[in-house]
Amino acid sequence: MEDLLFVLLVFVTLFFSVTTLILLHNRNHFKGLADYQKQHDTHSAQVYGSNLEFPPDYPLVSILIPARNEESTLPVLLESLEYQDWPNLEIRILDDHSVDRTHHVTRKFIERSRFHVSVHDGEEKPDDWLGKNWACHQLAKHAKGEILIFLDADTWLSPSAVRNIMESVRAYRLDFATVWPQQVMETTIEKAVISTVYSTIALYLPARYSYRAPRWIPFRKLREKVKPMFASACGQCMIFTKDTYQGTGGHAAVKDQVVEDVMLAKRIVRAGKTMRMFHGTDHLWCRMYKSGTEVFHGFRKNFFAGFGYRFLPFMSAWALHVAAYLLPPAVLVLAVGGLLPFPKSHLLFILSFICVLVPFLQRLWVSKFLKWPVSTAILYLPGVLWFQVLAVVVIRDRVLGTGNVWKGRPL
């Protein structure tokens, strides 16, 4: 038993060493829209004029918002869009069979907005489509813009957000971009769970590889084949050139995918298109869920889907997280209590202490980087435990064939 614990703790130490390196890597390559603007002020002044004016050929940007029962969230987003400093903007909202006052909210906005605003009534969903994918597909058919920006109804933007998105797209000559909003978390369950999900981006996904294949992989063809594995996206804010959206099949190509955002990103990279991920700190915000029930059902619907409904990767990730995040605290408690009857218990104490301290420091650093409350770092362990419970639930769902319901629709 002593040898097994030692080997496991050494493995976990190596695991946290790798995630720390990824975190440091992402500090330099997971750029924010605000970071981009700050670094390019001089260049922008030369191109656009000293007052950062835009060139005369403003491309039309289509803001596309699927809305189903969003009367409480949609007004905040629409109000933020009204103050955008990108002048050539159209706003299209799809009212997806809402049964609340979403329709009233959109009509009021049309009456006072300075932009062209259209509200489309959602068509009946085909059986082989998921609801949001179908809504986005309909919106894209109506859009007139050269650039399509899909926004979730629970997001909101700074006045310069669209401008900064457009500058980033132009500067990097992107076919596709995605922005991870700054997550607003108010309740304890939000801070524990949502921060855990979004920390995985900073800790496990080297952002640079989403737009450049890893050079440490031998052979160019192999690098290009592996590159889509690193592609990811956040459906809360996705930006396409219209040609790229249509050329890669758009939402029709992922019509039955719960994690359609990730699948779209992978298709775009496979097609040889350019993409980048940005974080939206200080420019784009989102409050995903407001109660424990919403958090549970929201992640229940896409937790297993994120692994392609494959048991082996799912169970492997589960085992890794148990070993990395739950084993060290358990060993540490036993060591402190003098309950490890091993000659080398002091060594196990040191390793377990390191493996408890490092993830806390990582989460503390992520919370500072992404401007989250410090309490999100303190709550990392409850967040991990919460997902262990959820893992059992989604496996049970899969085995028994019990489905999940989201916004009144079965998944």
Side-chain angles (χ1 to χ4, degrees):
M1 176 62 75
E2 181 183 20
D3 290 340
L4 177 60
L5 286 176
F6 178 77
V7 170
L8 286 173
L9 289 173
V10 168
F11 170 78
V12 172
T13 303
L14 293 174
F15 169 75
F16 284 134
S17 299
V18 172
T19 56
T20 299
L21 289 174
I22 294 173
L23 187 60
L24 294 173
H25 177 277
N26 279 339
R27 183 61 185 90
N28 294 320
H29 298 287
F30 187 23
K31 297 294 186 181
L33 298 174
D35 295 340
Y36 172 81
Q37 179 62 31
K38 182 178 180 180
Q39 292 172 9
H40 291 74
D41 277 346
T42 302
H43 172 72
S44 298
Q46 293 172 350
V47 175
Y48 301 144
S50 59
N51 60 350
L52 301 182
E53 292 181 354
F54 291 96
D57 60 330
Y58 302 94
L60 177 62
V61 174
S62 296
I63 303 292
L64 307 177
I65 308 167
R68 180 175 171 84
N69 299 331
E70 300 287 359
E71 67 170 322
S72 64
T73 58
L74 195 55
V76 180
L77 170 58
L78 297 180
E79 185 70 16
S80 72
L81 290 174
E82 187 63 17
Y83 291 99
Q84 291 303 304
D85 60 9
W86 187 264
N88 199 11
L89 199 67
E90 68 164 4
I91 301 169
R92 294 185 180 273
I93 307 161
L94 187 117
D95 187 350
D96 190 10
H97 301 90
S98 298
V99 295
D100 62 0
R101 299 177 74 252
T102 295
H103 181 81
H104 175 76
V105 169
T106 58
R107 294 301 171 186
K108 285 292 185 182
F109 183 66
I110 288 176
E111 293 173 4
R112 62 181 179 82
S113 180
R114 63 191 176 94
F115 295 114
H116 173 75
V117 182
S118 299
V119 178
H120 307 279
D121 292 326
E123 300 174 15
E124 198 63 36
K125 183 183 72 69
D127 292 339
D128 57 342
W129 282 76
L130 291 180
K132 182 182 178 181
N133 301 351
W134 176 238
C136 290
H137 174 70
Q138 294 174 76
L139 283 165
K141 289 196 299 183
H142 293 294
K144 305 297 183 184
E146 298 176 37
I147 301 293
L148 312 181
I149 300 180
F150 291 91
L151 292 174
D152 278 3
D154 53 8
T155 60
W156 63 96
L157 295 76
S158 72
S160 61
V162 172
R163 171 172 60 87
N164 284 345
I165 286 172
M166 291 299 294
E167 286 187 354
S168 298
V169 168
R170 284 187 166 191
Y172 294 113
R173 299 181 181 179
L174 300 177
D175 300 305
F176 172 74
T178 185
V179 181
W180 300 81
Q182 183 174 346
Q183 295 300 313
V184 177
M185 299 166 280
E186 297 184 6
T187 65
T188 300
I189 190 70
E190 290 174 83
K191 293 173 184 177
V193 175
I194 294 175
S195 67
T196 297
V197 173
Y198 279 80
S199 292
T200 61
I201 304 302
L203 289 167
Y204 302 155
L205 183 63
R208 187 180 191 179
Y209 298 157
S210 67
Y211 59 87
R212 194 177 76 183
R215 292 180 177 177
W216 46 265
I217 295 179
F219 311 114
R220 182 177 178 181
K221 287 185 177 181
L222 180 59
R223 286 199 298 269
E224 293 303 317
K225 188 174 182 179
V226 169
K227 186 179 176 182
M229 295 174 58
F230 296 97
S232 188
C234 178
Q236 294 163 355
C237 180
M238 297 193 296
I239 305 101
F240 302 80
T241 64
K242 192 167 189 178
D243 288 345
T244 297
Y245 182 85
Q246 294 175 340
T248 54
H251 283 84
V254 293
K255 60 184 180 181
D256 58 349
Q257 297 294 315
V258 176
V259 287
E260 83 292 342
D261 44 9
V262 177
M263 294 298 105
L264 282 167
K266 293 184 184 302
R267 287 184 61 86
I268 285 167
V269 172
R270 288 193 190 100
K273 303 295 184 179
T274 57
M275 74 158 285
R276 284 202 182 217
M277 302 191 304
F278 301 92
H279 67 79
T281 304
D282 294 330
H283 281 290
L284 179 66
W285 298 268
C286 177
R287 188 177 182 193
M288 295 177 65
Y289 308 119
K290 298 180 181 179
S291 70
T293 300
E294 287 186 2
V295 170
F296 177 77
H297 289 292
F299 286 111
R300 182 184 180 186
K301 69 181 170 62
N302 56 20
F303 191 28
F304 197 29
F307 294 87
Y309 297 105
R310 293 172 297 172
F311 277 100
L312 183 58
F314 185 85
M315 297 305 294
S316 299
W318 174 81
L320 175 62
H321 278 73
V322 168
Y325 293 101
L326 301 185
L327 177 65
V331 174
L332 184 61
V333 169
L334 293 174
V336 170
L339 300 177
L340 292 180
F342 304 129
K344 297 180 180 179
S345 59
H346 64 285
L347 184 57
L348 295 177
F349 168 80
I350 293 171
L351 287 173
S352 61
F353 179 77
I354 292 172
C355 293
V356 170
L357 180 62
V358 170
F360 170 73
L361 293 177
Q362 288 178 337
R363 290 290 295 272
L364 193 64
W365 193 89
V366 171
S367 68
K368 182 178 179 181
F369 175 43
L370 298 178
K371 296 188 177 182
W372 293 345
V374 174
S375 55
T376 60
I378 299 171
L379 292 167
Y380 89 89
L381 191 54
V384 172
L385 285 168
W386 187 92
F387 274 102
Q388 307 313 306
V389 175
L390 183 64
V392 174
V393 173
V394 297
I395 290 296
R396 185 200 64 184
D397 288 343
R398 195 66 176 174
V399 171
L400 299 180
T402 55
N404 191 19
V405 175
W406 184 245
K407 294 192 175 182
R409 283 177 174 155
L411 292 175

